[in-house]
């Protein structure tokens, strides 16, 4: 099931309006969260095997928002938590599901034009799901679906990223965090084309001129080991 709220309740895509109405009724901003690599939805809802996890709850508590998570098959192979190849093979299917969610979001906003727009928070390998949706045309041809789109330490390749990111930034207010000290992304080299690295480490390639990049490198150490990659710590 592709949609989850922080109470671990699963929702179908055709139930999007119902769940958004419920979240919006709390009076708090809504965040649609696209997670990265890991054994989900357990990692973000109940805690991870190799990390603390619980990202959905930490986002809600830390920023006083309500979170709707788009779940996709991002599990790595066995205990090889640095494996990118298996979750990469599922990003295309995830991008199709994302496109269906966004079409339902369009319908919701058309039916309730005064409803507040959610933010889209995309973490790590979740950025590749967005990339695939943009390049394959499964992202709806619409502007302003979100109050803003934030890519937190994206794991998409740095080389050529401006092509798809600029298309998105022409439609949405886009922010991207960068941190050369991100120790998780430094190890994220499996199934990576030669000469490329994770965008979240920075990019020598041309940037998307309509997006805003936020470089966190000079902030120094952030938390405990590998917390410089966590979605909520920044």
């Amino acid at each position: 099931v592709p949609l989850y709220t922080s109470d671990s309740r699963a929702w179908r895509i055709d139930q999007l309006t119902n769940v958004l109405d419920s979240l919006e009724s709390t009076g708090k901003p809504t965040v649609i969260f696209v997670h990265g690599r890991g054994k989900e939805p357990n990692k973000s809802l109940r805690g991870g095997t190799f990390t603390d996890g619980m990202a959905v709850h930490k986002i809600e508590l830390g920023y006083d928002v309500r979170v709707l998570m788009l779940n996709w098959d991002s599990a790595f192979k066995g205990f090889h938590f640095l494996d990118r190849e298996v979750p990469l093979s599922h990003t295309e299917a995830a991008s199709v599901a994302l496109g269906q969610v966004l079409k339902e979001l369009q319908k919701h906003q058309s039916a309730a034009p005064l409803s507040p727009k959610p933010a889209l928070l995309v973490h790590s390998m979740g950025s590749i799901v967005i990339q695939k949706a943009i390049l394959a045309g499964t992202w709806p041809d619409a502007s302003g679906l979100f109050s803003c789109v934030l890519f937190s330490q994206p794991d998409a390749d740095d080389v050529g990223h401006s092509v798809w990111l600029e298309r998105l930034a022409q439609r949405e207010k886009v922010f991207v965090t960068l941190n050369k000290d991100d120790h998780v992304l430094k190890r994220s080299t499996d199934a990576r084309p030669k000469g490329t690295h994770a965008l979240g480490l920075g990019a020598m390639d041309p940037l998307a001129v309509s997006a805003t990049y936020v470089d966190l490198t000079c902030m120094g150490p952030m938390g405990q080991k590998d917390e410089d990659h966590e979605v909520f710590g920044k």
Side-chain angles (χ1 to χ4, degrees):
V1 179
L3 299 173
Y4 284 85
T5 41
S6 60
D7 57 3
S8 297
R9 183 176 176 181
W11 302 79
R12 300 188 310 272
I13 292 175
D14 61 5
Q15 295 176 304
L16 182 69
T17 288
N18 292 336
V19 66
L20 287 178
D21 285 342
S22 175
L23 296 177
E24 291 166 3
S25 69
T26 65
K28 297 182 178 182
T30 300
V31 173
I32 296 179
F33 172 51
V34 183
H35 62 71
R37 174 174 42 184
K39 297 186 177 181
E40 299 285 5
N42 284 346
K43 176 184 174 185
S44 293
L45 291 172
R46 303 183 186 92
T49 305
F50 297 98
T51 61
D52 289 337
M54 304 285 286
V56 167
H57 305 285
K58 291 175 179 177
I59 295 166
E60 286 198 338
L61 292 172
Y63 301 102
D64 198 26
V65 298
R66 298 303 306 275
V67 174
L68 177 63
M69 183 172 75
L70 173 66
N71 181 52
W72 60 285
D73 187 1
S74 61
F76 42 80
K77 182 178 180 180
F79 294 101
H80 303 286
F81 64 93
L82 295 179
D83 165 51
R84 292 179 77 247
E85 188 171 1
V86 171
L88 272 175
S89 68
H90 298 143
T91 53
E92 185 172 349
S95 73
V96 174
L98 172 64
Q100 294 169 347
V101 168
L102 297 183
K103 287 181 180 178
E104 290 298 315
L105 179 60
Q106 275 186 293
K107 294 179 183 177
H108 173 74
Q109 293 177 346
S110 296
L114 297 181
S115 63
K117 294 184 177 181
L120 179 63
L121 175 59
V122 185
H123 183 53
S124 195
M125 283 191 76
S127 60
I128 302 170
V129 175
I130 310 299
Q131 175 185 5
K132 293 282 182 72
I134 294 291
L135 293 177
T138 51
W139 187 289
D141 186 16
S143 299
L145 291 175
F146 300 98
S147 60
C148 67
V149 177
L150 170 60
F151 290 92
S152 173
Q153 293 307 104
D155 191 68
D157 297 333
D158 63 320
V159 175
H161 80 275
S162 63
V163 174
W164 62 268
L165 194 61
E166 179 62 24
R167 293 184 193 175
L168 179 60
Q170 290 287 339
R171 306 174 183 179
E172 305 286 344
K173 186 186 298 183
V174 173
F175 299 87
V176 183
T177 70
L178 311 173
N179 185 354
K180 294 179 183 178
D181 296 324
D182 187 323
H183 293 88
V184 172
L185 289 185
K186 284 181 178 180
R187 301 194 298 268
S188 186
T189 58
D190 184 40
R192 180 89 64 187
K194 186 177 180 180
T196 67
H197 60 254
L199 173 59
L201 293 173
M204 296 298 292
D205 221 43
L207 305 182
V209 297
S210 302
T212 299
Y213 296 77
V214 183
D215 192 343
L216 306 174
T217 303
C218 295
M219 292 180 65
M222 290 187 284
Q224 302 299 314
K225 181 178 181 292
D226 291 341
E227 282 189 0
D228 42 24
H229 184 67
E230 296 288 1
V231 64
F232 51 86
K234 297 176 282 298

